[in-house]
């Protein structure tokens, strides 16, 4: 059995190349299992605080993030991130055998992408997305969903910069 708890370490150095991004988190991780069956752990991750900030933009988890694992089957109980003009939620499950069933919902200001840093230098506008991602190892990936962009502008170090962009993208199947 492994138990780890942490309280507000600055994880910036682990996830970002530069000092502009700040990641603060608190929580607990508990895992049980045997060394002979590393692919079948059991336990839970409970993250009571998760905040990401960069150059004035801030997102945080308004409620604890919880991921449970039982015999290599991971289930996201709660994973919601909110910021000014943004809300992103993820729910679902996956296994160490390669099965995936995830749902994503987002209503967000594209400025959220700026948290990624380079190559995203500037992002404005609104994105709304609803999607479901499935994977069966024998069959492959299946993606269904819809993404809508409104008044989008994106500078991502590409030959073309998108400005005043609107559109809908519908995804059906693999």
């Amino acid at each position: 059995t492994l138990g780890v708890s942490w309280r507000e370490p600055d994880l910036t150095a682990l996830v970002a190349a530069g000092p502009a991004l700040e990641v603060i988190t608190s929580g607990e991780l508990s895992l049980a299992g045997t060394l002979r069956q590393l692919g079948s752990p059991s336990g839970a991750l409970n993250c009571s605080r998760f905040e990401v900030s960069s150059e004035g933009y801030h997102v945080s988890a308004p409620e604890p993030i919880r991921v449970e694992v039982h015999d290599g089957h991971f289930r996201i109980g709660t994973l919601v991130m909110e910021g000014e003009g943004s809300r992103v939620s993820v729910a679902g499950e996956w296994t160490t055998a390669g099965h995936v069933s995830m749902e994503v919902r987002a209503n967000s200001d594209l400025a959220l992408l700026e948290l990624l840093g380079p190559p995203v230098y500037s992002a404005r506008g609104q994105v709304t997305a609803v999607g479901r991602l499935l994977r069966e190892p024998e069959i492959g990936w299946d993606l269904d969903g819809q993404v809508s962009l409104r008044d989008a502008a994106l500078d991502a170090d590409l030959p073309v910069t998108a400005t005043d962009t609107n559109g809908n993208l519908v995804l059906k199947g693999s």
Side-chain angles (χ1 to χ4, degrees), residues 113-127:
L113 293 176
E114 292 179 18
L115 290 174
L116 300 173
V120 178
Y121 295 103
S122 175
R124 299 292 176 264
Q126 195 69 24
V127 63

Side-chain angles (χ1 to χ4, degrees), residues 17-89:
L21 184 72
E22 181 181 33
V23 180
I24 304 290
T25 181
S26 297
E28 298 175 348
L29 171 68
S30 62
L31 290 175
T34 68
L35 291 175
R36 285 181 264 202
Q37 294 179 322
L38 288 176
S40 299
S42 293
L45 167 74
N46 293 297
C47 189
S48 56
R49 179 179 180 197
F50 192 87
E51 299 180 12
V52 181
S53 301
S54 179
E55 299 178 4
Y57 196 79
H58 178 86
V59 294
S60 62
E63 55 194 74
I65 296 171
R66 180 156 174 85
V67 179
E68 297 174 349
V69 59
H70 182 71
D71 286 333
H73 184 163
F74 295 78
R75 186 178 71 78
I76 297 175
T78 307
L79 198 163
V80 176
M81 297 298 290
E82 291 183 343
E84 187 176 330
S86 298
R87 179 179 172 87
V88 177
S89 66

Side-chain angles (χ1 to χ4, degrees), residues 122-124 149 151-156 158-166:
S122 175
R124 299 292 176 264
L149 287 174
D151 304 319
L154 180 64
D155 179 2
L158 297 171
V160 176
T161 299
T163 60
D164 196 26
T165 304
N166 295 287

Side-chain angles (χ1 to χ4, degrees), residues 106-117:
N107 188 0
S108 179
D109 185 324
L110 283 175
L112 180 67
L113 293 176
E114 292 179 18
L115 290 174
L116 300 173

Side-chain angles (χ1 to χ4, degrees), residues 82-104:
E82 291 183 343
E84 187 176 330
S86 298
R87 179 179 172 87
V88 177
S89 66
V90 178
E93 52 193 47
W94 70 95
T95 69
T96 54
H99 300 274
V100 176
S101 176
M102 303 291 285
E103 290 188 14
V104 176

